């Protein structure tokens, strides 16, 4: 069974540009969450999607957005990139949501560098 | 609001020695507790989780953790570490909704030969 796949693995962008990251969850998983990982802030929750609807959102500016498609694949978009957006962006999937104890399966992440 | 503290940012230990990685949390309601491990250039993998029942939880790779409600702690232990255990370890909590886990800052375990 294939794991969570994130593409691309590495990205280099310049300030002011926008970027789209992709996440394909494990087959049968309907919940997709996104996290930002930086050395200073650790792992921070961005948002969660389930059945094409955003269910939870972390404390990030509106420049960060996402969506989920009918096949559960998810994309994350960051507009008007800032230097501080440089981070490892992790996607996690799980079978369901709402009970709080579902195991998260993480992808290897997309390493975004903003120059 | 939930929060997680991992007091030790780095823990060096010699191979075959025991190790304990500390985790404390705060929450106004009951929570579920987790330990995840991140190997270099990889995503996170679940080591173990506490949902309810026995306070001693056993996970993969010989790790175990003990939930202590009065001390709001969930420390991770292994009696004898291997070089391959070198990684970053994250403690996380989740209240009974959604997938917005709150992660601690992580503890980098370095196992020395």
């Amino acid at each position: 069974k294939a794991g969570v796949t994130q593409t691309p693995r590495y990205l280099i962008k310049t300030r002011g540009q926008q970027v789209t990251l992709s996440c394909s969850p494990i087959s049968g998983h309907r919940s997709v969450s996104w996290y930002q990982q930086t050395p200073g802030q650790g792992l921070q929750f961005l948002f969660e999607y389930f059945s094409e609807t955003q269910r939870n959102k972390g404390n990030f500016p509106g420049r960060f957005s996402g969506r989920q498609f009918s096949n559960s694949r998810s994309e994350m978009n960051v507009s008007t990139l800032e230097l501080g957006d440089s981070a490892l962006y992790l996607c996690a999937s799980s079978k369901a949501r709402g009970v709080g104890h579902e195991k998260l399966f993480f992808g290897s992440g997309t390493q975004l560098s903003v120059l | 609001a939930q929060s997680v503290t991992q007091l030790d940012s780095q823990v060096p230990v010699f191979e075959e020695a025991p190790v304990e990685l500390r985790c404390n949390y705060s929450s106004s309601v009951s929570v579920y507790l987790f330990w995840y491990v991140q190997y270099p250039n990889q995503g996170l993998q679940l080591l173990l989780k506490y949902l309810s029942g026995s306070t001693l939880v056993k996970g993969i790779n010989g790790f175990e953790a003990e939930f202590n409600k009065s001390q709001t702690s969930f420390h991770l232990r292994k009696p004898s570490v291997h070089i391959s255990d070198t990684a970053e370890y994250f403690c996380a909590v989740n209240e009974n909704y959604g997938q917005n886990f709150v992660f601690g800052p992580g503890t980098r375990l370095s196992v020395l030969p």
Side-chain angles (χ1 to χ4, degrees), chain A residues 9-10 31 33 35 37 42-43 45 48 56 88 90 94 96-104 106-108, chain B residues 32 34 36 38 41-46 49 51 88 90 94-105:
Chain A
R9 184 72 179 90
Y10 299 96
S31 173
S33 303
Y35 289 82
Q37 185 178 18
L43 276 154
F45 172 75
E48 179 220 347
N56 277 301
L88 179 67
L90 291 167
S94 63
R97 69 179 304 279
V99 293
H101 65 270
E102 283 294 333
K103 177 180 175 180
L104 294 179
F106 283 83
S108 297
Chain B
Y32 300 112
F34 305 77
Y36 280 84
Q38 185 177 32
N41 300 313
Q42 294 186 28
L44 280 71
Q45 300 174 34
L46 180 68
K49 60 183 178 181
L51 306 180
E88 188 135 22
F90 295 90
N94 193 323
E95 295 176 357
N96 193 23
Y97 64 94
Q99 298 293 348
N100 49 326
F101 286 61
V102 174
F103 286 85

Side-chain angles (χ1 to χ4, degrees), chain A residues 47-85:
Chain A
F47 28 64
E48 179 220 347
Y49 286 87
F50 183 82
S51 294
E52 302 177 64
T53 302
Q54 187 180 92
R55 305 292 179 147
N56 277 301
K57 190 177 192 305
N59 189 26
F60 278 82
R63 300 184 297 106
F64 292 80
S65 63
R67 59 178 175 169
Q68 187 180 33
F69 302 95
S70 58
N71 62 358
S72 293
R73 191 177 71 84
S74 177
E75 288 182 347
M76 191 192 100
N77 185 277
V78 187
S79 62
T80 319
L81 283 166
E82 300 178 359
L83 295 178
D85 297 334

Side-chain angles (χ1 to χ4, degrees), chain B residues 32-81:
Chain B
Y32 300 112
L33 297 160
F34 305 77
W35 274 99
Y36 280 84
V37 60
Q38 185 177 32
Y39 297 104
N41 300 313
Q42 294 186 28
L44 280 71
Q45 300 174 34
L46 180 68
L47 269 180
L48 48 80
K49 60 183 178 181
Y50 172 78
L51 306 180
S52 64
S54 173
T55 57
L56 184 62
V57 180
K58 293 189 184 298
I60 62 172
N61 300 340
F63 284 93
E64 63 181 32
E66 186 155 20
F67 170 58
N68 187 317
K69 188 174 182 179
S70 62
Q71 297 186 5
T72 60
S73 67
F74 191 55
H75 301 331
L76 181 71
R77 302 186 185 98
K78 186 170 182 178
S80 175
V81 295

